[in-house]
Amino acid sequence: MRIFSEAHPVGVGRRSYAVSALAVAAAAAAGSVAVDPDSSWYRQLRKPTWQPPGWAFGAVWTPLYAGIAWAVGRAWNAAPSDRRAALAGSVAANLALNAGWNWLFFKARNPAAGLAGTLALDLSNAELLRRAARVDRAAAAALVPYAAWCGFATALNASLVRRNRA
């Protein structure tokens, strides 16, 4: 049986987890700057009865972000060097789309643009899951709740677009 330190040179495995955690935290912070659920614009939107309460979003996103960071670090450690650049590109695009949705929806006050952004995020999630699964099934499995929540968010965003046509 191999122990953690035998599987990777000293610090290499831990470093990838730290870098992925920093990247995820940066995306979360960049996105959160744009969010204003207390704005009169957002409060006046007609929302579906199945929309979760406001507190649920933070309760859900916190462990999802932790799972993304863990999965990305694990996939990076498992990836052969010739697949790492593509994996890093998928992660960067995914995190940019993740943060960008907040800017499209909340800052631009444009649910239709938010819907386009979340659809792009869903495609990015599928690509990231595919890349992760090619190198580590556990990393891919850890990304499934994130992809599922984003799918739910897409349905919620589509409902908001439908209910709030100008």
Side-chain angles (χ1 to χ4, degrees), residues 49-66:
T49 57
W50 48 271
Q51 177 170 321
W55 62 263
F57 291 94
V60 169
W61 274 109
T62 300
L64 287 178
Y65 281 135

Side-chain angles (χ1 to χ4, degrees), residues 40-109:
S40 60
W41 170 80
Y42 182 73
R43 285 192 322 254
Q44 291 174 8
L45 289 176
R46 289 184 302 277
K47 298 170 188 78
T49 57
W50 48 271
Q51 177 170 321
W55 62 263
F57 291 94
V60 169
W61 274 109
T62 300
L64 287 178
Y65 281 135
I68 296 165
W70 181 85
V72 168
R74 183 172 170 108
W76 181 266
N77 287 335
S81 59
D82 64 332
R83 291 190 184 173
R84 285 184 171 172
L87 177 62
S90 288
V91 170
N94 187 274
L95 293 176
L97 289 165
N98 180 300
W101 178 87
N102 295 310
W103 288 86
L104 293 169
F105 186 91
F106 281 102
K107 200 67 166 178
R109 296 181 175 188

